[in-house]
Amino acid sequence: MSHPLFDATIPAFTRSLKALDACLDKAQAHADGLKCDVANILGSRLAPDMFPLGRQIQIACDFAKSISSRMAGLDVPGYEDNEVTLADFKARIAKTIAYINTIAPEQFEGSETRAISIPMRDGSKREYVGAPYLNHAGLPNFYFHLTSAYAILRHNGVQVGKKDFIGSV
């Protein structure tokens, strides 16, 4: 049997990350067509104070794995942020999808009221309860970085549209 908060996370993250992966293939094709290095797109940002595409991909993956882990009551696995090439970023997406798909719906039992403590960089902790964390912090952050990645691709002329963003339903 499935769980509503599982359904809002693992399948949605998997679909979205697969869609992002497909968009990166289009970015490579776009760069090839222009005879330029796809690294230019990976380093591109929408505004000077925003993260570049590569960092948006890392953060989207981080939110997918951390939200899923926290909602299931698991420790969040750490990933090094050492990706440089398009292949590296695609591998991070694949690793994230593989990890989150090891989490079973049953592990989400009680997640609505699960206490969630998130360590902050300054040493403090942010405390949440499961459902409000997911709905008001986790999902908005995941989709913000996913949308930013998509917008950077569009901004750079990569031919992606709404269907590419949504992925296979």
Side-chain angles (χ1 to χ4, degrees):
M1 184 173 143
S2 197
H3 187 282
L5 297 185
F6 174 89
D7 293 341
T9 55
I10 308 296
F13 294 154
T14 299
R15 185 185 70 244
S16 294
L17 291 173
K18 285 181 177 179
L20 178 58
D21 185 73
C23 287
L24 294 180
D25 290 337
K26 288 189 172 197
Q28 182 65 64
H30 179 72
D32 291 347
L34 293 174
K35 296 183 180 4
C36 73
D37 189 349
V38 75
N40 294 326
I41 298 173
L42 290 169
S44 181
R45 57 185 80 218
L46 292 175
D49 65 343
M50 288 185 73
F51 289 126
L53 174 60
R55 186 71 182 123
Q56 300 290 352
I57 296 166
Q58 290 169 332
I59 296 171
C61 289
D62 287 348
F63 272 106
K65 71 178 170 65
S66 64
I67 292 165
S68 302
S69 297
R70 290 180 180 124
M71 294 304 292
L74 302 171
D75 290 334
V76 178
Y79 292 175
E80 289 185 42
D81 294 330
N82 58 1
E83 293 82 12
V84 176
T85 67
L86 187 70
D88 294 339
F89 287 104
K90 288 175 66 66
R92 185 181 184 121
I93 291 170
K95 177 170 66 170
T96 302
I97 292 169
Y99 167 70
I100 65 175
N101 280 283
T102 66
I103 301 171
E106 304 81 52
Q107 292 174 276
F108 274 66
E109 287 303 319
S111 62
E112 302 88 349
T113 58
R114 181 168 283 135
I116 295 175
S117 181
I118 301 174
M120 305 308 289
R121 288 186 191 135
D122 66 2
S124 66
K125 291 186 179 188
R126 214 173 257 171
E127 304 294 335
Y128 294 96
V129 174
Y133 161 71
L134 178 64
N135 293 316
H136 303 295
L139 290 175
N141 272 289
F142 172 76
Y143 286 111
F144 173 83
H145 292 286
L146 186 71
T147 302
S148 295
Y150 170 84
I152 293 168
L153 291 168
R154 289 280 306 197
H155 179 72
N156 279 276
V158 178
Q159 296 297 306
V160 291
K162 183 177 179 182
K163 287 182 181 180
D164 297 296
F165 177 81
I166 293 172
S168 323
V169 184

